[in-house]
Amino acid sequence: SPESLRQLVDQGRAKLKSGVVLIASRGEDRVQILVGATEDMVVRGIHAGKIVGEMSKVVDGKGGGRPDLAQGGGKDFSKASEAIQRGISVITQQSAEIK
């Protein structure tokens, strides 16, 4: 469920203390994607909403949200790994833009 996935993101952020959590999960008939960034990463310029938006495009869907927590999804679960890789690329790009 989306609530369970949000709890996993929160647990991941708590364990990381500094970082970004990406989750892609198979729902009933779609891919669910959640991204959570720790507060220090948000302050440094990471935006979970932009990351999840790009990831959702890969799986033929949409997404967005706040800088610290965002969700989205799409129809094509076969591209979930590709969506995670896209998320990592966006994080790398956003990190490079951090001053």
Side-chain angles (χ1 to χ4, degrees):
S1 73
E3 182 57 37
S4 295
L5 293 176
R6 278 191 291 276
Q7 289 175 358
L8 281 175
V9 169
D10 287 343
Q11 290 171 3
R13 289 190 293 186
K15 283 186 179 187
L16 283 176
K17 298 192 182 1
S18 179
V20 182
V21 177
L22 309 175
I23 295 178
S25 174
R26 182 178 293 221
E28 290 180 24
D29 60 347
R30 57 183 287 125
V31 182
Q32 297 177 32
I33 298 172
L34 271 83
V35 175
T38 58
E39 190 171 327
D40 68 310
M41 297 303 284
V42 172
V43 168
R44 294 174 57 198
I46 296 296
H47 194 291
K50 292 177 183 176
I51 297 165
V52 84
E54 290 297 316
M55 291 174 69
S56 295
K57 288 178 189 176
V58 173
V59 293
D60 194 23
K62 296 189 230 183
R66 303 184 316 250
D68 65 325
L69 182 65
Q71 66 183 47
K75 301 173 187 174
D76 191 351
F77 188 79
S78 70
K79 294 184 179 177
S81 293
E82 187 180 331
I84 293 289
Q85 290 303 314
R86 179 65 185 137
I88 292 167
S89 295
V90 174
I91 293 165
T92 301
Q93 180 183 6
Q94 288 182 2
S95 295
E97 295 170 359
I98 296 172
K99 297 178 183 176

